[in-house]
Amino acid sequence: MSGKKQDPGLVESLRLAAVARRFYDQGASKLEIADEFGISRFKVARMLDAARESGIVKFEYHLPAPVDLVLSEKIRTAYRLDRVLVLERAPEPESREVARRKIGTLAARLLTEIITPGDVLGLSWARSVNAMTDAIKSLPRCPVVQLCGVQAGMDMRDRSVETVSRVASVSGGQAYPIFGPLVLPDRRTTETLRRQPGIAETFGQFKNLTKAVVSIGAWKPEESTVYDALDEAERGAIAKRGAKAEVSARLFDADGTPMSTGLAHHVLAISAEELLAVPEVIALGYTEPKAEAIDAVLRSGMVSTLITDAAAALPLLKLAEARPPA
């Protein structure tokens, strides 16, 4: 059978267009149209379908941001999320830096619209989150809480302390930074630092978070700063246990189940349980190599809003179809 659209002919096209115009442009009900045209309302429904399928009626959506509405809705429905924003595919291939900037701009626009003075906002470290903070021009006054420590080797502008400070300066709210490394050598050092007054105060804010912006990392080279910070033996051992994704230094397996590993005891970061308790979590995850990691984190139930790109969204849909989320 040919996949081509069938031409209904001039006479039938005019009839289909007339029915479609009454329904879509003039707001008539199917029952009203059925009475006018002397047909059943079921026939009206079939004619509206035929008008769309034949191309007589075409829909265009003009959004105030470069979002692929169809992909966004498919992923939102598949994973039962509150919102999904899929960045439109660019006509020409783009660098990861350009994609990151666009993802950050989308996140900034969303955050500017949904943050209220009653919120307590948490931010994890990620270059995409930094791109978001660069694009934020205004924000209601609210506390801004750092969710994890500073990743060694990053320049000052890219560190999470500076990210939190920049957003707090825009908001005018209080900043709660973590002046300490993300990955520490052992559990004892981690527990000692967590008791330090400034860090303890920030950790005490985790229970008050109402919204958080996090980045999804994949447990593979160059797709997670935490992965890259560990030695080869530890990375491999964690991978063998089934780690697929990382959010704020917390690991998740393919089913979205938080993992308990040795890493959990030597990072300065919000716990998986505390993240799962935040009422609204906005997750930034993009590019095709992160699709499996995004799928894993969405299955955890943590995420309310996903901001991604078409490169990740297409394989993500296939993962959802192959193994529907519970």
Side-chain angles (χ1 to χ4, degrees):
M1 182 182 289
S2 170
K4 279 184 163 185
K5 293 177 183 174
Q6 267 200 316
D7 182 357
L10 177 59
V11 173
E12 182 63 10
S13 293
L14 288 169
R15 194 159 176 258
L16 293 176
V19 167
R21 179 171 178 272
R22 288 289 289 124
F23 184 75
Y24 293 114
D25 287 350
Q26 298 175 337
S29 70
K30 292 177 184 176
L31 191 58
E32 289 171 331
I33 297 168
D35 288 342
E36 288 175 28
F37 285 79
I39 55 178
S40 72
R41 60 189 175 88
F42 302 106
K43 175 67 172 175
V44 172
R46 289 196 296 272
M47 290 177 74
L48 291 171
D49 288 341
R52 292 194 301 271
E53 291 165 6
S54 63
I56 291 169
V57 171
K58 295 180 180 178
F59 294 104
E60 290 186 1
Y61 302 96
H62 298 282
L63 299 174
V67 172
D68 185 322
L69 180 64
V70 174
L71 264 180
S72 298
E73 280 300 294
K74 283 182 178 179
I75 291 176
R76 186 188 66 79
T77 302
Y79 290 96
R80 302 184 188 93
L81 302 177
D82 292 341
R83 301 184 200 89
V84 173
L85 284 73
V86 177
L87 187 67
E88 283 182 347
R89 186 183 292 278
E92 299 292 335
E94 293 180 329
S95 68
R96 181 172 287 210
E97 185 178 347
V98 171
R100 181 187 303 132
R101 189 166 61 249
K102 289 183 176 180
I103 291 287
T105 300
L106 271 182
R109 182 159 191 163
L110 174 67
L111 204 64
T112 301
E113 292 182 9
I114 66 173
I115 287 290
T116 70
D119 281 317
V120 178
L121 173 63
L123 296 178
S124 71
W125 182 88
R127 289 190 173 93
S128 55
V129 178
N130 288 350
M132 178 195 77
T133 65
D134 287 343
I136 292 175
K137 304 305 177 191
S138 65
L139 210 61
R141 185 181 180 87
C142 68
V144 184
V145 182
Q146 187 174 329
L147 301 183
C148 51
V150 175
Q151 177 58 49
M154 301 295 166
D155 66 42
M156 290 303 292
R157 188 176 178 281
D158 271 342
R159 290 184 175 180
S160 48
V161 172
E162 282 65 41
T163 299
V164 167
S165 298
R166 288 200 301 272
V167 176
S169 67
V170 172
S171 161
Q174 185 168 350
Y176 291 89
I178 297 176
F179 290 103
L182 174 59
V183 181
L184 293 154
D186 52 54
R187 184 172 190 158
R188 184 176 178 180
T189 306
T190 305
E191 290 175 350
T192 300
L193 278 177
R194 281 194 60 168
R195 290 194 293 269
Q196 294 297 313
I199 294 175
E201 185 181 22
T202 295
F203 272 67
Q205 287 294 319
F206 293 160
K207 66 182 182 297
N208 300 325
L209 294 170
T210 58
K211 291 184 174 72
V213 182
V214 301
S215 173
I216 298 173
W219 200 247
K220 55 179 70 171
E222 299 181 7
E223 299 298 339
S224 160
T225 53
V226 178
Y227 180 99
D228 294 335
L230 303 180
D231 62 42
E232 188 173 348
E234 189 167 9
R235 290 195 301 247
I238 291 171
K240 283 179 182 176
R241 293 187 59 181
K244 289 292 181 185
E246 172 259 318
V247 176
S248 297
R250 300 306 177 185
L251 305 180
F252 297 83
D253 66 15
D255 294 322
T257 305
M259 297 179 65
S260 178
T261 68
L263 177 64
H265 303 302
H266 62 104
V267 291
L268 276 179
I270 188 171
S271 69
E273 293 72 24
E274 288 166 323
L275 270 174
L276 286 161
V278 178
E280 185 163 3
V281 173
I282 301 156
L284 315 183
Y286 57 103
T287 70
E288 189 275 336
K290 288 188 178 178
E292 285 189 353
I294 298 168
D295 173 70
V297 174
L298 295 186
R299 290 175 189 275
S300 74
M302 174 202 306
V303 176
S304 311
T305 297
L306 173 67
I307 302 179
T308 186
D309 61 0
L314 293 169
L316 189 59
L317 272 180
K318 289 182 181 178
L319 290 167
E321 289 165 2
R323 195 164 63 100

